[in-house]
Amino acid sequence: MASAKATMGQGEQDHFVLKSGHAMPAVGLGTWRAGSDTAHSVRTAITEAGYRHVDTAAEYGVEKEVGKGLKAAMEAGIDRKDLFVTSKIWCTNLAPERVRPALENTLKDLQLDYIDLYHIHWPFRLKDGAHMPPEAGEVLEFDMEGVWKEMENLVKDGLVKDIGVCNYTVTKLNRLLRSAKIPPAVCQMEMHPGWKNDKIFEACKKHGIHITAYSPLGSSEKNLAHDPVVEKVANKLNKTPGQVLIKWALQRGTSVIPKSSKDERIKENIQVFGWEIPEEDFKVLCSIKDEKRVLTGEELFVNKTHGPYRSARDVWDHEN
């Protein structure tokens, strides 16, 4: 079963249709570490560059700024129904009784009545004020089934259109699917040619769960925009390396949320329609060696002495 149906408008795959029937724009603006210009970036992305999808999270600390940017865009004439807004519940709120208040705070900060997609940010519960890395007793038991039931209630009450998960393993996804009445519509994962994440990619495809790729350019340590293979393909196609990496994600069947605070880059990052990476070049990009994750979760969840997670491999259920 395909992970989501790609809709072709004038030969352009500009959005995906989720299991729920809702349309999700294929390229979104990421807002992790977006900084003080977030409101400007969001407004520019929507009103000048044509974005209709904005991805944020409570933990990013920028939801109020994102809200200001969304409000400015709507005041400039963009309809709310044409926007797709994603947010995420943080680990300290992963208890059933905290789900609705967490969403209500997000809605207040975003100045919205509903959001289109609400994710579990990481499948681990942390104590309020947990240290990085966590001290003994700061990683708590996570009632995944109880939390998901409350997420489902948000859908039933019209506060959220779709619910999803981020940073899941196949093991955790299978556990969730056993009890979920509303299965996750989307799974958001780190994915780029240097970390293809094939196991979760295939599992999501099997269950008809759409995938959003984050960190599509890799990281500051291993910036794939400077990879000679990527640069060679970009030169051949007369595109930027960033555009090639974003297009790679789209051609793989995933939506993608590149982040930039530079207006020029924001506009560049969505100019990925109306052309394709030829099959032989796509294969070359796919052959870039998997190195390592950008985000291991180690500093958030690993306590090497006290556990319960003593290594990054524990965090990822030893799946890769």
Side-chain angles (χ1 to χ4, degrees), residues 80-98:
R80 168 65 184 99
K81 67 177 171 52
D82 294 329
L83 296 173
F84 191 102
V85 181
T86 299
S87 189
K88 310 173 190 81
I89 184 169
W90 185 241
C91 303
T92 49
N93 286 322
L94 287 182
E97 68 281 3
R98 285 186 164 207

Side-chain angles (χ1 to χ4, degrees), residues 228-290:
V229 174
V230 177
E231 286 181 332
K232 190 178 175 187
V233 173
N235 289 336
K236 177 183 169 183
L237 299 177
N238 198 24
K239 302 293 176 189
T240 68
Q243 287 170 331
V244 165
L245 289 162
I246 292 162
K247 190 68 177 180
W248 178 85
L250 295 176
Q251 283 184 217
R252 206 171 176 229
T254 67
S255 50
V256 60
I257 46 170
K259 180 243 134 185
S260 182
S261 51
K262 297 186 177 88
D263 289 2
E264 185 187 338
R265 192 68 51 77
I266 287 170
K267 291 171 185 176
E268 212 173 71
N269 284 345
I270 201 166
Q271 289 166 13
V272 287
F273 302 106
W275 58 277
E276 286 219 331
I277 300 169
E279 191 180 351
E280 67 272 19
D281 297 312
F282 185 81
K283 283 179 178 168
V284 167
L285 292 169
C286 290
S287 71
I288 291 174
K289 190 171 168 285
D290 266 1

Side-chain angles (χ1 to χ4, degrees), residues 62 126 174 226:
V62 295
L126 292 173
N174 287 338
H226 303 309

